[in-house]
């Protein structure tokens, strides 16, 4: 085995039919707004936003193995930053998005610097506390409009937001692919997730690498939050800083398969579609939470590699998935 | 090459090492012998930067390393093969080995080292696509040593390479240690198996409850009555 590709190719390269599939999916995504009604464009937009958020969480939670339970805060910070930039400073939306992303990433560095030195549950606890702190701050500050929130100028153009989310989410996946699946950086994260002490001993500067990964995983939610704020035009602490935001990112990533490129995408599609269909059928309610809870239990217990794991290894071998599950269940 | 001077380490209030000094010269195998809980692994961790001594200094190539983080120590040329192997279980053998390559080494050098590692451990070449966690204990130990070698270290720290291995595998591992040394590799070896390590080493220290109680030429220590009684079971 030649070592030619050491540090550049953690995995074997994708076969060409996968590229064809990807091209087809992109084409469908690009043409999607034409046949859809405004309601379904909104739903499709949400799905794409969530796909981006779940992937962002996956960078730190899946690839690095550090569970962030405050990731919603980066989305909220982004939403508020864009709001502040547009409303109070009168700067353009695009600049707001950039500032939102950078602010979220900077915040991740500040939070990560002390907490990513610790291992185990401390990071999870610290990020959870951080998320709660940001929500409280947004509730009392004047510049964020306190508990009432902020009203942004409205720009009613559904396809515009659809394509903007598509672009940013697309960039999230491209970045993940290039930096985490195809570079030494990805190898180092893998080493940290697999065995952190051993990673240190082979010369990986674990703290710096983890902080970089955390900042990267915060940047995109910041940008997505900014787009969201302009899209829905009205934001308040519960809508952009609520705990469900983080919960959904975690749930989607887990359901789809953490630490994989396409897992979070599949998870986001399934969860958000189920969520919206139930909403259409039964109206506003919390019933979908029960279904999602049951789905998560099933995934964690029986298919820890998520939907993507099922697709990759077993769906083409009929029956084996069930055999696998039956083996684990003691009747 | 490596000079440990009067280091003391404690875990909280519990002291683990008292004023331990040792030195490793270029091209030698130095063994640290001692029973369970003597502080051998603590000493290794202090050298590789995983813990920092409260007192004393550690110098490597005339540079102080006692307060450097582990990744910097590793980049200076100290490869620590930890106790209990600590390989990456969900990565393949070849991926585990690639992890050991430091970015500062060129591709060509990496190729040569890999060839050498496969020469030392042909089984790793055969199993390069297998997941690390599915190897036998002995093979995992070989993989851990191989990964350590991939960084082209100036000194190799081996912590209990015989731990939990069948006697025939232990002999094999020690043969490789001797072979590496004959190629010029400097090695600091920590072992409970006093007899084997004194046989392979040129110089040795005896560590008991955190202190160095004896040191000398390995060939002389083997005949020392205290050693015989305490470690060789005679």
């Amino acid at each position: 085995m030649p070592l030619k590709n050491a540090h550049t190719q953690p995995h074997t390269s994708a076969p060409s039919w996968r590229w064809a599939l990807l091209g087809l999916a992109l084409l469908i995504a690009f043409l999607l707004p034409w046949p859809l009604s405004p309601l379904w464009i909104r739903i499709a937009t949400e799905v794409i936003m969530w796909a981006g958020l779940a992937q962002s969480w996956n960078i730190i939670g899946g690839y690095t193995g550090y569970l962030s339970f405050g990731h919603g805060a980066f989305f909220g910070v982004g939403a508020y930053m864009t709001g502040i930039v547009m409303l109070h400073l009168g700067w353009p939306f695009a600049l707001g998005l950039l500032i939102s992303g950078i602010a979220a990433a900077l915040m991740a560095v500040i939070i990560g610097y002390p907490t990513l030195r610790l291992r185990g549950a401390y990071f999870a606890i610290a990020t959870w506390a951080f998320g709660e702190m940001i929500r409280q701050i947004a509730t009392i500050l004047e510049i964020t409009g306190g508990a009432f929130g902020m009203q942004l100028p409205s720009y009613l153009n559904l396809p515009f937001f659809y394509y903007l989310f598509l672009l940013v989410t697309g960039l999230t996946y491209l970045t993940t692919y290039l930096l985490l699946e195809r570079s030494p950086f990805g190898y180092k994260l893998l080493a940290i997730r697999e065995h952190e002490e051993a990673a240190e001993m082979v010369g990986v500067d674990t703290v710096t690498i983890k902080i970089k990964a955390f900042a990267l995983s915060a940047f995109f939610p910041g940008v997505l939050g900014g787009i969201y704020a302009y899209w829905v035009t009205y934001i308040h602490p519960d809508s952009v800083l609520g705990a469900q935001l983080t919960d959904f990112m975690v749930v989607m990533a887990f359901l789809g398969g953490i630490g994989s490129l396409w897992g979070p995408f599949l998870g986001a599609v399934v969860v958000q579609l189920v969520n919206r269909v139930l909403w259409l059928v039964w109206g506003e309610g919390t019933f979908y939470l029960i279904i999602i809870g049951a789905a998560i239990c099933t995934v964690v217990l029986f298919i820890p590699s998520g939907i993507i794991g099922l697709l990759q290894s077993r769906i083409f071998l009929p029956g084996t998935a069930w055999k696998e599950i039956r083996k684990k269940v003691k009747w | 090459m490596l000079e440990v001077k009067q280091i003391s380490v404690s875990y909280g209030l519990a002291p683990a090492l008292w004023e331990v000094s040792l030195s490793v010269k270029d091209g030698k195998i130095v063994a640290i012998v001692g029973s369970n809980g003597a502080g051998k692994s603590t000493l290794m961790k202090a050298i590789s930067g995983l813990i920092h001594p409260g007192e004393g200094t550690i110098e490597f190539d005339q540079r102080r390393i006692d307060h450097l983080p582990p990744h910097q120590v590793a980049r200076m040329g100290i490869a620590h093969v930890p106790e209990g192997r600590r390989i990456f279980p969900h990565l393949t053998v070849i991926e585990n080995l690639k992890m050991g390559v430091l970015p500062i080494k060129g591709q060509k050098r990496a190729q040569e080292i890999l060839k050498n590692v496969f020469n030392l451990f042909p089984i790793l070449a055969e199993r390069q696509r297998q997941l690390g966690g599915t190897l036998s204990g002995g093979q995992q130990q070989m993989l851990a040593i191989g990964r350590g070698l991939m960084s082209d270290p100036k000194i190799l720290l081996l912590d209990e390479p015989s731990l939990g291995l069948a006697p025939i595998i232990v002999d094999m591992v020690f043969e490789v240690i001797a072979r590496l040394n004959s190629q010029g590799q400097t090695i600091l070896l920590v072992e409970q198996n006093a007899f084997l390590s004194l046989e392979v080493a040129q110089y040795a220290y005896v560590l008991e409850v955190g202190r160095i109680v004896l040191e000398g030429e390995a060939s002389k220590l083997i005949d020392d009555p205290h050693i015989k009684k305490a470690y060789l079971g005679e």
Side-chain angles (χ1 to χ4, degrees), chain B residues 96-127:
Chain B
N96 263 283
L97 290 174
K98 281 183 189 174
M99 287 285 185
V101 185
L102 287 174
I104 45 172
K105 307 283 173 191
Q107 280 299 333
K108 217 179 134 206
R109 184 79 191 111
Q111 285 277 18
E112 285 169 26
I113 305 168
L114 184 69
K115 211 179 265 173
N116 188 35
V117 168
F118 282 162
N119 258 332
L120 287 167
F121 305 112
I123 189 79
L124 295 183
E126 278 170 41
R127 309 244 160 155

Side-chain angles (χ1 to χ4, degrees), chain A residues 87 100 205 236 246 291:
Chain A
L87 218 59
S100 291
D205 181 358
H236 58 93
T246 305
I291 294 187

